[in-house]
mmCIF file with all atom_site columns, all heavy atoms in Angstrom:
data_model
loop_
_atom_site.group_PDB
_atom_site.id
_atom_site.type_symbol
_atom_site.label_atom_id
_atom_site.label_alt_id
_atom_site.label_comp_id
_atom_site.label_asym_id
_atom_site.label_entity_id
_atom_site.label_seq_id
_atom_site.pdbx_PDB_ins_code
_atom_site.Cartn_x
_atom_site.Cartn_y
_atom_site.Cartn_z
_atom_site.occupancy
_atom_site.B_iso_or_equiv
_atom_site.pdbx_formal_charge
_atom_site.auth_seq_id
_atom_site.auth_comp_id
_atom_site.auth_asym_id
_atom_site.auth_atom_id
_atom_site.pdbx_PDB_model_num
ATOM 1   N N   . ARG A 1 1  ? -10.182 9.275   -7.429  1.00 78.00 ? 7  ARG A N   1
ATOM 2   C CA  . ARG A 1 1  ? -9.340  9.044   -8.598  1.00 78.00 ? 7  ARG A CA  1
ATOM 3   C C   . ARG A 1 1  ? -7.936  8.591   -8.252  1.00 78.00 ? 7  ARG A C   1
ATOM 4   O O   . ARG A 1 1  ? -7.338  7.820   -8.977  1.00 78.00 ? 7  ARG A O   1
ATOM 5   C CB  . ARG A 1 1  ? -9.298  10.301  -9.442  1.00 78.00 ? 7  ARG A CB  1
ATOM 6   C CG  . ARG A 1 1  ? -10.665 10.573  -10.037 1.00 78.00 ? 7  ARG A CG  1
ATOM 7   C CD  . ARG A 1 1  ? -10.775 11.826  -10.854 1.00 78.00 ? 7  ARG A CD  1
ATOM 8   N NE  . ARG A 1 1  ? -9.598  12.144  -11.607 1.00 78.00 ? 7  ARG A NE  1
ATOM 9   C CZ  . ARG A 1 1  ? -9.345  13.337  -12.098 1.00 78.00 ? 7  ARG A CZ  1
ATOM 10  N NH1 . ARG A 1 1  ? -10.185 14.309  -11.908 1.00 78.00 ? 7  ARG A NH1 1
ATOM 11  N NH2 . ARG A 1 1  ? -8.247  13.571  -12.767 1.00 78.00 ? 7  ARG A NH2 1
ATOM 12  N N   . VAL A 1 2  ? -7.402  9.097   -7.147  1.00 85.00 ? 8  VAL A N   1
ATOM 13  C CA  . VAL A 1 2  ? -6.030  8.778   -6.774  1.00 85.00 ? 8  VAL A CA  1
ATOM 14  C C   . VAL A 1 2  ? -5.982  8.500   -5.280  1.00 85.00 ? 8  VAL A C   1
ATOM 15  O O   . VAL A 1 2  ? -6.641  9.165   -4.494  1.00 85.00 ? 8  VAL A O   1
ATOM 16  C CB  . VAL A 1 2  ? -5.070  9.951   -7.112  1.00 85.00 ? 8  VAL A CB  1
ATOM 17  C CG1 . VAL A 1 2  ? -3.667  9.657   -6.639  1.00 85.00 ? 8  VAL A CG1 1
ATOM 18  C CG2 . VAL A 1 2  ? -5.085  10.250  -8.602  1.00 85.00 ? 8  VAL A CG2 1
ATOM 19  N N   . PHE A 1 3  ? -5.197  7.505   -4.899  1.00 89.00 ? 9  PHE A N   1
ATOM 20  C CA  . PHE A 1 3  ? -4.995  7.158   -3.498  1.00 89.00 ? 9  PHE A CA  1
ATOM 21  C C   . PHE A 1 3  ? -3.515  7.313   -3.188  1.00 89.00 ? 9  PHE A C   1
ATOM 22  O O   . PHE A 1 3  ? -2.673  6.681   -3.820  1.00 89.00 ? 9  PHE A O   1
ATOM 23  C CB  . PHE A 1 3  ? -5.433  5.715   -3.230  1.00 89.00 ? 9  PHE A CB  1
ATOM 24  C CG  . PHE A 1 3  ? -6.907  5.526   -3.343  1.00 89.00 ? 9  PHE A CG  1
ATOM 25  C CD1 . PHE A 1 3  ? -7.516  5.416   -4.585  1.00 89.00 ? 9  PHE A CD1 1
ATOM 26  C CD2 . PHE A 1 3  ? -7.694  5.474   -2.211  1.00 89.00 ? 9  PHE A CD2 1
ATOM 27  C CE1 . PHE A 1 3  ? -8.884  5.257   -4.700  1.00 89.00 ? 9  PHE A CE1 1
ATOM 28  C CE2 . PHE A 1 3  ? -9.068  5.318   -2.317  1.00 89.00 ? 9  PHE A CE2 1
ATOM 29  C CZ  . PHE A 1 3  ? -9.657  5.218   -3.554  1.00 89.00 ? 9  PHE A CZ  1
ATOM 30  N N   . LEU A 1 4  ? -3.185  8.169   -2.231  1.00 91.00 ? 10 LEU A N   1
ATOM 31  C CA  . LEU A 1 4  ? -1.801  8.397   -1.831  1.00 91.00 ? 10 LEU A CA  1
ATOM 32  C C   . LEU A 1 4  ? -1.472  7.565   -0.602  1.00 91.00 ? 10 LEU A C   1
ATOM 33  O O   . LEU A 1 4  ? -2.238  7.542   0.365   1.00 91.00 ? 10 LEU A O   1
ATOM 34  C CB  . LEU A 1 4  ? -1.566  9.873   -1.494  1.00 91.00 ? 10 LEU A CB  1
ATOM 35  C CG  . LEU A 1 4  ? -1.716  10.868  -2.620  1.00 91.00 ? 10 LEU A CG  1
ATOM 36  C CD1 . LEU A 1 4  ? -1.569  12.290  -2.086  1.00 91.00 ? 10 LEU A CD1 1
ATOM 37  C CD2 . LEU A 1 4  ? -0.710  10.604  -3.718  1.00 91.00 ? 10 LEU A CD2 1
ATOM 38  N N   . PHE A 1 5  ? -0.331  6.887   -0.659  1.00 90.00 ? 11 PHE A N   1
ATOM 39  C CA  . PHE A 1 5  ? 0.133   6.065   0.449   1.00 90.00 ? 11 PHE A CA  1
ATOM 40  C C   . PHE A 1 5  ? 1.558   6.428   0.784   1.00 90.00 ? 11 PHE A C   1
ATOM 41  O O   . PHE A 1 5  ? 2.401   6.509   -0.097  1.00 90.00 ? 11 PHE A O   1
ATOM 42  C CB  . PHE A 1 5  ? 0.110   4.571   0.075   1.00 90.00 ? 11 PHE A CB  1
ATOM 43  C CG  . PHE A 1 5  ? -1.254  4.046   -0.208  1.00 90.00 ? 11 PHE A CG  1
ATOM 44  C CD1 . PHE A 1 5  ? -1.732  4.014   -1.505  1.00 90.00 ? 11 PHE A CD1 1
ATOM 45  C CD2 . PHE A 1 5  ? -2.050  3.581   0.812   1.00 90.00 ? 11 PHE A CD2 1
ATOM 46  C CE1 . PHE A 1 5  ? -2.995  3.529   -1.783  1.00 90.00 ? 11 PHE A CE1 1
ATOM 47  C CE2 . PHE A 1 5  ? -3.318  3.094   0.552   1.00 90.00 ? 11 PHE A CE2 1
ATOM 48  C CZ  . PHE A 1 5  ? -3.785  3.066   -0.745  1.00 90.00 ? 11 PHE A CZ  1
ATOM 49  N N   . ASP A 1 6  ? 1.836   6.618   2.067   1.00 89.00 ? 12 ASP A N   1
ATOM 50  C CA  . ASP A 1 6  ? 3.209   6.745   2.522   1.00 89.00 ? 12 ASP A CA  1
ATOM 51  C C   . ASP A 1 6  ? 3.792   5.339   2.518   1.00 89.00 ? 12 ASP A C   1
ATOM 52  O O   . ASP A 1 6  ? 3.142   4.382   2.934   1.00 89.00 ? 12 ASP A O   1
ATOM 53  C CB  . ASP A 1 6  ? 3.242   7.339   3.932   1.00 89.00 ? 12 ASP A CB  1
ATOM 54  C CG  . ASP A 1 6  ? 4.649   7.489   4.449   1.00 89.00 ? 12 ASP A CG  1
ATOM 55  O OD1 . ASP A 1 6  ? 5.540   7.871   3.659   1.00 89.00 ? 12 ASP A OD1 1
ATOM 56  O OD2 . ASP A 1 6  ? 4.874   7.215   5.626   1.00 89.00 ? 12 ASP A OD2 1
ATOM 57  N N   . LEU A 1 7  ? 5.005   5.192   2.032   1.00 85.00 ? 13 LEU A N   1
ATOM 58  C CA  . LEU A 1 7  ? 5.610   3.869   1.924   1.00 85.00 ? 13 LEU A CA  1
ATOM 59  C C   . LEU A 1 7  ? 5.891   3.260   3.302   1.00 85.00 ? 13 LEU A C   1
ATOM 60  O O   . LEU A 1 7  ? 5.388   2.189   3.636   1.00 85.00 ? 13 LEU A O   1
ATOM 61  C CB  . LEU A 1 7  ? 6.903   3.962   1.109   1.00 85.00 ? 13 LEU A CB  1
ATOM 62  C CG  . LEU A 1 7  ? 7.677   2.666   0.905   1.00 85.00 ? 13 LEU A CG  1
ATOM 63  C CD1 . LEU A 1 7  ? 6.842   1.675   0.121   1.00 85.00 ? 13 LEU A CD1 1
ATOM 64  C CD2 . LEU A 1 7  ? 8.982   2.954   0.187   1.00 85.00 ? 13 LEU A CD2 1
ATOM 65  N N   . ASP A 1 8  ? 6.685   3.962   4.113   1.00 86.00 ? 14 ASP A N   1
ATOM 66  C CA  . ASP A 1 8  ? 7.133   3.402   5.389   1.00 86.00 ? 14 ASP A CA  1
ATOM 67  C C   . ASP A 1 8  ? 6.066   3.540   6.464   1.00 86.00 ? 14 ASP A C   1
ATOM 68  O O   . ASP A 1 8  ? 5.595   4.631   6.739   1.00 86.00 ? 14 ASP A O   1
ATOM 69  C CB  . ASP A 1 8  ? 8.421   4.101   5.846   1.00 86.00 ? 14 ASP A CB  1
ATOM 70  C CG  . ASP A 1 8  ? 9.569   3.850   4.889   1.00 86.00 ? 14 ASP A CG  1
ATOM 71  O OD1 . ASP A 1 8  ? 9.769   2.686   4.526   1.00 86.00 ? 14 ASP A OD1 1
ATOM 72  O OD2 . ASP A 1 8  ? 10.237  4.822   4.501   1.00 86.00 ? 14 ASP A OD2 1
ATOM 73  N N   . GLY A 1 9  ? 5.688   2.428   7.037   1.00 85.00 ? 15 GLY A N   1
ATOM 74  C CA  . GLY A 1 9  ? 4.716   2.421   8.113   1.00 85.00 ? 15 GLY A CA  1
ATOM 75  C C   . GLY A 1 9  ? 3.279   2.308   7.656   1.00 85.00 ? 15 GLY A C   1
ATOM 76  O O   . GLY A 1 9  ? 2.379   2.114   8.469   1.00 85.00 ? 15 GLY A O   1
ATOM 77  N N   . THR A 1 10 ? 3.034   2.430   6.369   1.00 87.00 ? 16 THR A N   1
ATOM 78  C CA  . THR A 1 10 ? 1.680   2.292   5.839   1.00 87.00 ? 16 THR A CA  1
ATOM 79  C C   . THR A 1 10 ? 1.573   1.073   4.936   1.00 87.00 ? 16 THR A C   1
ATOM 80  O O   . THR A 1 10 ? 0.631   0.306   5.029   1.00 87.00 ? 16 THR A O   1
ATOM 81  C CB  . THR A 1 10 ? 1.273   3.555   5.051   1.00 87.00 ? 16 THR A CB  1
ATOM 82  O OG1 . THR A 1 10 ? 1.398   4.676   5.917   1.00 87.00 ? 16 THR A OG1 1
ATOM 83  C CG2 . THR A 1 10 ? -0.143  3.466   4.556   1.00 87.00 ? 16 THR A CG2 1
ATOM 84  N N   . LEU A 1 11 ? 2.563   0.911   4.066   1.00 87.00 ? 17 LEU A N   1
ATOM 85  C CA  . LEU A 1 11 ? 2.597   -0.251  3.174   1.00 87.00 ? 17 LEU A CA  1
ATOM 86  C C   . LEU A 1 11 ? 3.628   -1.279  3.608   1.00 87.00 ? 17 LEU A C   1
ATOM 87  O O   . LEU A 1 11 ? 3.415   -2.478  3.459   1.00 87.00 ? 17 LEU A O   1
ATOM 88  C CB  . LEU A 1 11 ? 2.886   0.193   1.734   1.00 87.00 ? 17 LEU A CB  1
ATOM 89  C CG  . LEU A 1 11 ? 1.848   1.116   1.102   1.00 87.00 ? 17 LEU A CG  1
ATOM 90  C CD1 . LEU A 1 11 ? 2.303   1.546   -0.288  1.00 87.00 ? 17 LEU A CD1 1
ATOM 91  C CD2 . LEU A 1 11 ? 0.486   0.456   1.042   1.00 87.00 ? 17 LEU A CD2 1
ATOM 92  N N   . VAL A 1 12 ? 4.749   -0.793  4.124   1.00 87.00 ? 18 VAL A N   1
ATOM 93  C CA  . VAL A 1 12 ? 5.817   -1.690  4.573   1.00 87.00 ? 18 VAL A CA  1
ATOM 94  C C   . VAL A 1 12 ? 6.410   -1.180  5.882   1.00 87.00 ? 18 VAL A C   1
ATOM 95  O O   . VAL A 1 12 ? 6.313   0.005   6.204   1.00 87.00 ? 18 VAL A O   1
ATOM 96  C CB  . VAL A 1 12 ? 6.950   -1.809  3.522   1.00 87.00 ? 18 VAL A CB  1
ATOM 97  C CG1 . VAL A 1 12 ? 6.453   -2.394  2.226   1.00 87.00 ? 18 VAL A CG1 1
ATOM 98  C CG2 . VAL A 1 12 ? 7.626   -0.487  3.275   1.00 87.00 ? 18 VAL A CG2 1
ATOM 99  N N   . LEU A 1 13 ? 6.991   -2.097  6.624   1.00 86.00 ? 19 LEU A N   1
ATOM 100 C CA  . LEU A 1 13 ? 7.810   -1.762  7.795   1.00 86.00 ? 19 LEU A CA  1
ATOM 101 C C   . LEU A 1 13 ? 9.196   -2.309  7.499   1.00 86.00 ? 19 LEU A C   1
ATOM 102 O O   . LEU A 1 13 ? 9.382   -3.526  7.492   1.00 86.00 ? 19 LEU A O   1
ATOM 103 C CB  . LEU A 1 13 ? 7.264   -2.393  9.067   1.00 86.00 ? 19 LEU A CB  1
ATOM 104 C CG  . LEU A 1 13 ? 6.065   -1.720  9.699   1.00 86.00 ? 19 LEU A CG  1
ATOM 105 C CD1 . LEU A 1 13 ? 5.547   -2.522  10.875  1.00 86.00 ? 19 LEU A CD1 1
ATOM 106 C CD2 . LEU A 1 13 ? 6.410   -0.307  10.132  1.00 86.00 ? 19 LEU A CD2 1
ATOM 107 N N   . GLY A 1 14 ? 10.131  -1.435  7.188   1.00 79.00 ? 20 GLY A N   1
ATOM 108 C CA  . GLY A 1 14 ? 11.448  -1.893  6.758   1.00 79.00 ? 20 GLY A CA  1
ATOM 109 C C   . GLY A 1 14 ? 11.326  -2.600  5.425   1.00 79.00 ? 20 GLY A C   1
ATOM 110 O O   . GLY A 1 14 ? 10.943  -2.007  4.433   1.00 79.00 ? 20 GLY A O   1
ATOM 111 N N   . ARG A 1 15 ? 11.589  -3.890  5.428   1.00 78.00 ? 21 ARG A N   1
ATOM 112 C CA  . ARG A 1 15 ? 11.466  -4.699  4.212   1.00 78.00 ? 21 ARG A CA  1
ATOM 113 C C   . ARG A 1 15 ? 10.313  -5.698  4.310   1.00 78.00 ? 21 ARG A C   1
ATOM 114 O O   . ARG A 1 15 ? 10.207  -6.618  3.497   1.00 78.00 ? 21 ARG A O   1
ATOM 115 C CB  . ARG A 1 15 ? 12.765  -5.461  3.949   1.00 78.00 ? 21 ARG A CB  1
ATOM 116 C CG  . ARG A 1 15 ? 13.932  -4.561  3.653   1.00 78.00 ? 21 ARG A CG  1
ATOM 117 C CD  . ARG A 1 15 ? 14.044  -4.352  2.190   1.00 78.00 ? 21 ARG A CD  1
ATOM 118 N NE  . ARG A 1 15 ? 15.169  -3.475  1.879   1.00 78.00 ? 21 ARG A NE  1
ATOM 119 C CZ  . ARG A 1 15 ? 15.273  -2.869  0.730   1.00 78.00 ? 21 ARG A CZ  1
ATOM 120 N NH1 . ARG A 1 15 ? 14.357  -3.020  -0.178  1.00 78.00 ? 21 ARG A NH1 1
ATOM 121 N NH2 . ARG A 1 15 ? 16.296  -2.101  0.506   1.00 78.00 ? 21 ARG A NH2 1
ATOM 122 N N   . LYS A 1 16 ? 9.438   -5.511  5.287   1.00 86.00 ? 22 LYS A N   1
ATOM 123 C CA  . LYS A 1 16 ? 8.307   -6.428  5.466   1.00 86.00 ? 22 LYS A CA  1
ATOM 124 C C   . LYS A 1 16 ? 7.004   -5.723  5.122   1.00 86.00 ? 22 LYS A C   1
ATOM 125 O O   . LYS A 1 16 ? 6.743   -4.618  5.591   1.00 86.00 ? 22 LYS A O   1
ATOM 126 C CB  . LYS A 1 16 ? 8.250   -6.934  6.907   1.00 86.00 ? 22 LYS A CB  1
ATOM 127 C CG  . LYS A 1 16 ? 9.424   -7.790  7.276   1.00 86.00 ? 22 LYS A CG  1
ATOM 128 C CD  . LYS A 1 16 ? 9.258   -8.349  8.662   1.00 86.00 ? 22 LYS A CD  1
ATOM 129 C CE  . LYS A 1 16 ? 10.467  -9.211  8.993   1.00 86.00 ? 22 LYS A CE  1
ATOM 130 N NZ  . LYS A 1 16 ? 10.302  -9.892  10.255  1.00 86.00 ? 22 LYS A NZ  1
ATOM 131 N N   . PRO A 1 17 ? 6.165   -6.378  4.293   1.00 87.00 ? 23 PRO A N   1
ATOM 132 C CA  . PRO A 1 17 ? 4.877   -5.764  3.957   1.00 87.00 ? 23 PRO A CA  1
ATOM 133 C C   . PRO A 1 17 ? 3.936   -5.757  5.147   1.00 87.00 ? 23 PRO A C   1
ATOM 134 O O   . PRO A 1 17 ? 3.978   -6.654  5.992   1.00 87.00 ? 23 PRO A O   1
ATOM 135 C CB  . PRO A 1 17 ? 4.330   -6.659  2.844   1.00 87.00 ? 23 PRO A CB  1
ATOM 136 C CG  . PRO A 1 17 ? 4.998   -7.977  3.042   1.00 87.00 ? 23 PRO A CG  1
ATOM 137 C CD  . PRO A 1 17 ? 6.344   -7.678  3.649   1.00 87.00 ? 23 PRO A CD  1
ATOM 138 N N   . ILE A 1 18 ? 3.119   -4.740  5.228   1.00 89.00 ? 24 ILE A N   1
ATOM 139 C CA  . ILE A 1 18 ? 2.069   -4.697  6.236   1.00 89.00 ? 24 ILE A CA  1
ATOM 140 C C   . ILE A 1 18 ? 0.909   -5.531  5.719   1.00 89.00 ? 24 ILE A C   1
ATOM 141 O O   . ILE A 1 18 ? 0.537   -5.438  4.538   1.00 89.00 ? 24 ILE A O   1
ATOM 142 C CB  . ILE A 1 18 ? 1.659   -3.236  6.520   1.00 89.00 ? 24 ILE A CB  1
ATOM 143 C CG1 . ILE A 1 18 ? 2.826   -2.532  7.215   1.00 89.00 ? 24 ILE A CG1 1
ATOM 144 C CG2 . ILE A 1 18 ? 0.373   -3.167  7.347   1.00 89.00 ? 24 ILE A CG2 1
ATOM 145 C CD1 . ILE A 1 18 ? 2.606   -1.089  7.539   1.00 89.00 ? 24 ILE A CD1 1
ATOM 146 N N   . GLY A 1 19 ? 0.349   -6.353  6.566   1.00 90.00 ? 25 GLY A N   1
ATOM 147 C CA  . GLY A 1 19 ? -0.715  -7.266  6.168   1.00 90.00 ? 25 GLY A CA  1
ATOM 148 C C   . GLY A 1 19 ? -1.839  -6.591  5.400   1.00 90.00 ? 25 GLY A C   1
ATOM 149 O O   . GLY A 1 19 ? -2.368  -5.576  5.841   1.00 90.00 ? 25 GLY A O   1
ATOM 150 N N   . GLY A 1 20 ? -2.147  -7.126  4.235   1.00 89.00 ? 26 GLY A N   1
ATOM 151 C CA  . GLY A 1 20 ? -3.242  -6.622  3.418   1.00 89.00 ? 26 GLY A CA  1
ATOM 152 C C   . GLY A 1 20 ? -2.862  -5.510  2.458   1.00 89.00 ? 26 GLY A C   1
ATOM 153 O O   . GLY A 1 20 ? -3.636  -5.156  1.577   1.00 89.00 ? 26 GLY A O   1
ATOM 154 N N   . ALA A 1 21 ? -1.650  -4.949  2.605   1.00 88.00 ? 27 ALA A N   1
ATOM 155 C CA  . ALA A 1 21 ? -1.256  -3.810  1.763   1.00 88.00 ? 27 ALA A CA  1
ATOM 156 C C   . ALA A 1 21 ? -1.189  -4.196  0.288   1.00 88.00 ? 27 ALA A C   1
ATOM 157 O O   . ALA A 1 21 ? -1.733  -3.495  -0.570  1.00 88.00 ? 27 ALA A O   1
ATOM 158 C CB  . ALA A 1 21 ? 0.081   -3.238  2.219   1.00 88.00 ? 27 ALA A CB  1
ATOM 159 N N   . GLY A 1 22 ? -0.532  -5.302  -0.011  1.00 87.00 ? 28 GLY A N   1
ATOM 160 C CA  . GLY A 1 22 ? -0.413  -5.739  -1.399  1.00 87.00 ? 28 GLY A CA  1
ATOM 161 C C   . GLY A 1 22 ? -1.759  -6.053  -2.013  1.00 87.00 ? 28 GLY A C   1
ATOM 162 O O   . GLY A 1 22 ? -2.040  -5.676  -3.160  1.00 87.00 ? 28 GLY A O   1
ATOM 163 N N   . GLU A 1 23 ? -2.607  -6.707  -1.240  1.00 88.00 ? 29 GLU A N   1
ATOM 164 C CA  . GLU A 1 23 ? -3.947  -7.060  -1.726  1.00 88.00 ? 29 GLU A CA  1
ATOM 165 C C   . GLU A 1 23 ? -4.777  -5.808  -1.998  1.00 88.00 ? 29 GLU A C   1
ATOM 166 O O   . GLU A 1 23 ? -5.520  -5.750  -2.975  1.00 88.00 ? 29 GLU A O   1
ATOM 167 C CB  . GLU A 1 23 ? -4.671  -7.958  -0.721  1.00 88.00 ? 29 GLU A CB  1
ATOM 168 C CG  . GLU A 1 23 ? -4.058  -9.332  -0.576  1.00 88.00 ? 29 GLU A CG  1
ATOM 169 C CD  . GLU A 1 23 ? -2.916  -9.387  0.425   1.00 88.00 ? 29 GLU A CD  1
ATOM 170 O OE1 . GLU A 1 23 ? -2.480  -8.328  0.959   1.00 88.00 ? 29 GLU A OE1 1
ATOM 171 O OE2 . GLU A 1 23 ? -2.416  -10.506 0.661   1.00 88.00 ? 29 GLU A OE2 1
ATOM 172 N N   . PHE A 1 24 ? -4.646  -4.801  -1.125  1.00 86.00 ? 30 PHE A N   1
ATOM 173 C CA  . PHE A 1 24 ? -5.408  -3.576  -1.337  1.00 86.00 ? 30 PHE A CA  1
ATOM 174 C C   . PHE A 1 24 ? -4.920  -2.833  -2.578  1.00 86.00 ? 30 PHE A C   1
ATOM 175 O O   . PHE A 1 24 ? -5.724  -2.336  -3.367  1.00 86.00 ? 30 PHE A O   1
ATOM 176 C CB  . PHE A 1 24 ? -5.353  -2.664  -0.108  1.00 86.00 ? 30 PHE A CB  1
ATOM 177 C CG  . PHE A 1 24 ? -6.245  -1.461  -0.227  1.00 86.00 ? 30 PHE A CG  1
ATOM 178 C CD1 . PHE A 1 24 ? -7.615  -1.612  -0.343  1.00 86.00 ? 30 PHE A CD1 1
ATOM 179 C CD2 . PHE A 1 24 ? -5.713  -0.186  -0.249  1.00 86.00 ? 30 PHE A CD2 1
ATOM 180 C CE1 . PHE A 1 24 ? -8.453  -0.502  -0.473  1.00 86.00 ? 30 PHE A CE1 1
ATOM 181 C CE2 . PHE A 1 24 ? -6.537  0.930   -0.378  1.00 86.00 ? 30 PHE A CE2 1
ATOM 182 C CZ  . PHE A 1 24 ? -7.909  0.758   -0.487  1.00 86.00 ? 30 PHE A CZ  1
ATOM 183 N N   . LEU A 1 25 ? -3.608  -2.778  -2.789  1.00 86.00 ? 31 LEU A N   1
ATOM 184 C CA  . LEU A 1 25 ? -3.085  -2.152  -4.001  1.00 86.00 ? 31 LEU A CA  1
ATOM 185 C C   . LEU A 1 25 ? -3.565  -2.896  -5.245  1.00 86.00 ? 31 LEU A C   1
ATOM 186 O O   . LEU A 1 25 ? -3.937  -2.274  -6.240  1.00 86.00 ? 31 LEU A O   1
ATOM 187 C CB  . LEU A 1 25 ? -1.557  -2.098  -3.961  1.00 86.00 ? 31 LEU A CB  1
ATOM 188 C CG  . LEU A 1 25 ? -0.951  -1.167  -2.911  1.00 86.00 ? 31 LEU A CG  1
ATOM 189 C CD1 . LEU A 1 25 ? 0.571   -1.300  -2.902  1.00 86.00 ? 31 LEU A CD1 1
ATOM 190 C CD2 . LEU A 1 25 ? -1.371  0.271   -3.125  1.00 86.00 ? 31 LEU A CD2 1
ATOM 191 N N   . ASP A 1 26 ? -3.581  -4.228  -5.184  1.00 87.00 ? 32 ASP A N   1
ATOM 192 C CA  . ASP A 1 26 ? -4.110  -5.023  -6.308  1.00 87.00 ? 32 ASP A CA  1
ATOM 193 C C   . ASP A 1 26 ? -5.581  -4.706  -6.546  1.00 87.00 ? 32 ASP A C   1
ATOM 194 O O   . ASP A 1 26 ? -6.018  -4.572  -7.690  1.00 87.00 ? 32 ASP A O   1
ATOM 195 C CB  . ASP A 1 26 ? -3.935  -6.519  -6.048  1.00 87.00 ? 32 ASP A CB  1
ATOM 196 C CG  . ASP A 1 26 ? -2.501  -6.971  -6.164  1.00 87.00 ? 32 ASP A CG  1
ATOM 197 O OD1 . ASP A 1 26 ? -1.682  -6.244  -6.777  1.00 87.00 ? 32 ASP A OD1 1
ATOM 198 O OD2 . ASP A 1 26 ? -2.185  -8.049  -5.631  1.00 87.00 ? 32 ASP A OD2 1
ATOM 199 N N   . PHE A 1 27 ? -6.352  -4.599  -5.475  1.00 84.00 ? 33 PHE A N   1
ATOM 200 C CA  . PHE A 1 27 ? -7.772  -4.257  -5.587  1.00 84.00 ? 33 PHE A CA  1
ATOM 201 C C   . PHE A 1 27 ? -7.948  -2.911  -6.290  1.00 84.00 ? 33 PHE A C   1
ATOM 202 O O   . PHE A 1 27 ? -8.777  -2.768  -7.188  1.00 84.00 ? 33 PHE A O   1
ATOM 203 C CB  . PHE A 1 27 ? -8.420  -4.220  -4.203  1.00 84.00 ? 33 PHE A CB  1
ATOM 204 C CG  . PHE A 1 27 ? -9.756  -3.527  -4.175  1.00 84.00 ? 33 PHE A CG  1
ATOM 205 C CD1 . PHE A 1 27 ? -10.889 -4.175  -4.630  1.00 84.00 ? 33 PHE A CD1 1
ATOM 206 C CD2 . PHE A 1 27 ? -9.862  -2.233  -3.703  1.00 84.00 ? 33 PHE A CD2 1
ATOM 207 C CE1 . PHE A 1 27 ? -12.122 -3.532  -4.623  1.00 84.00 ? 33 PHE A CE1 1
ATOM 208 C CE2 . PHE A 1 27 ? -11.085 -1.583  -3.683  1.00 84.00 ? 33 PHE A CE2 1
ATOM 209 C CZ  . PHE A 1 27 ? -12.219 -2.240  -4.147  1.00 84.00 ? 33 PHE A CZ  1
ATOM 210 N N   . LEU A 1 28 ? -7.154  -1.923  -5.892  1.00 85.00 ? 34 LEU A N   1
ATOM 211 C CA  . LEU A 1 28 ? -7.258  -0.611  -6.521  1.00 85.00 ? 34 LEU A CA  1
ATOM 212 C C   . LEU A 1 28 ? -6.951  -0.688  -8.010  1.00 85.00 ? 34 LEU A C   1
ATOM 213 O O   . LEU A 1 28 ? -7.681  -0.124  -8.831  1.00 85.00 ? 34 LEU A O   1
ATOM 214 C CB  . LEU A 1 28 ? -6.313  0.388   -5.841  1.00 85.00 ? 34 LEU A CB  1
ATOM 215 C CG  . LEU A 1 28 ? -6.669  0.803   -4.416  1.00 85.00 ? 34 LEU A CG  1
ATOM 216 C CD1 . LEU A 1 28 ? -5.580  1.709   -3.849  1.00 85.00 ? 34 LEU A CD1 1
ATOM 217 C CD2 . LEU A 1 28 ? -8.026  1.471   -4.353  1.00 85.00 ? 34 LEU A CD2 1
ATOM 218 N N   . LYS A 1 29 ? -5.895  -1.408  -8.361  1.00 84.00 ? 35 LYS A N   1
ATOM 219 C CA  . LYS A 1 29 ? -5.534  -1.518  -9.773  1.00 84.00 ? 35 LYS A CA  1
ATOM 220 C C   . LYS A 1 29 ? -6.612  -2.240  -10.573 1.00 84.00 ? 35 LYS A C   1
ATOM 221 O O   . LYS A 1 29 ? -6.961  -1.811  -11.671 1.00 84.00 ? 35 LYS A O   1
ATOM 222 C CB  . LYS A 1 29 ? -4.186  -2.216  -9.918  1.00 84.00 ? 35 LYS A CB  1
ATOM 223 C CG  . LYS A 1 29 ? -3.029  -1.333  -9.489  1.00 84.00 ? 35 LYS A CG  1
ATOM 224 C CD  . LYS A 1 29 ? -1.711  -1.980  -9.790  1.00 84.00 ? 35 LYS A CD  1
ATOM 225 C CE  . LYS A 1 29 ? -1.093  -2.439  -8.499  1.00 84.00 ? 35 LYS A CE  1
ATOM 226 N NZ  . LYS A 1 29 ? 0.202   -3.053  -8.660  1.00 84.00 ? 35 LYS A NZ  1
#
């Protein structure tokens, strides 16, 4: 039902997205 993600180091590094993170969040939505 819910997916928890740590922001730093899992979805982004500083101000740069980690490859595939945005696409995976879109997939979940």
Side-chain angles (χ1 to χ4, degrees):
R7 293 178 35 198
V8 176
F9 292 79
L10 296 175
F11 297 94
D12 180 40
L13 180 63
D14 296 312
T16 303
L17 298 176
V18 298
L19 282 175
R21 295 268 180 198
K22 294 185 180 186
I24 292 179
E29 292 86 354
F30 186 62
L31 292 175
D32 288 341
F33 164 78
L34 291 176
K35 287 187 253 181

